[in-house]
Amino acid sequence: MPPETPSHAADRLDDDDYPAYTMGRAAEMIGATPGFLRAIGEARLITPLRSEGGHRRYSRYQLRIAARARELVDAGTPIEAACRIVILEDQLEEALRLNEELRGRSG
């Protein structure tokens, strides 16, 4: 893979889906432990990408999802239930966005 130009690399950092953060940095950013990130990965809430060396890498979008799950767990919700709630919230948000988009086209 050829090296990225500085402007192209900066563009990727603005991309919500670009896996820019290591597990340690991601855990620090959301106030959790690497074990928490592994647990929500095992629960299939998020699937981190892997670097060429096999290390987990997280995007900003994934960190927002993980932070929401951490809030629920901190409030006493079991991790499996927290993951399911976050998935449903995300699906609802997407459905509402699509619904609004379709209404805009017909009106």
Side-chain angles (χ1 to χ4, degrees), residues 11-90:
D11 290 344
R12 296 191 96 174
L13 291 176
D14 290 336
D15 180 355
D16 260 4
D17 296 317
Y18 181 69
Y21 304 100
T22 62
M23 177 181 273
R25 181 68 180 126
E28 180 183 309
M29 288 173 71
I30 66 166
T33 64
F36 177 80
L37 290 174
R38 281 190 291 275
I40 63 174
E42 289 170 10
R44 296 189 180 136
L45 177 60
I46 58 175
T47 303
L49 293 175
R50 297 283 181 151
S51 68
E52 289 183 19
H55 299 283
R56 291 174 178 91
R57 305 286 295 189
Y58 297 88
S59 68
R60 287 189 300 182
Y61 172 75
Q62 289 173 323
L63 293 184
R64 282 195 301 274
I65 296 292
R68 176 64 180 133
R70 188 192 57 90
E71 289 172 6
L72 291 168
V73 169
D74 287 353
T77 305
I79 196 163
E80 297 82 12
C83 290
R84 185 67 183 139
I85 289 167
V86 173
I87 289 168
L88 291 170
E89 287 175 343
D90 198 47

Side-chain angles (χ1 to χ4, degrees), residues 82-100:
C83 290
R84 185 67 183 139
I85 289 167
V86 173
I87 289 168
L88 291 170
E89 287 175 343
D90 198 47
Q91 289 173 342
L92 176 60
E93 184 178 311
E94 179 66 6
L96 291 171
R97 185 192 66 74
L98 287 171
N99 192 19
E100 190 63 32

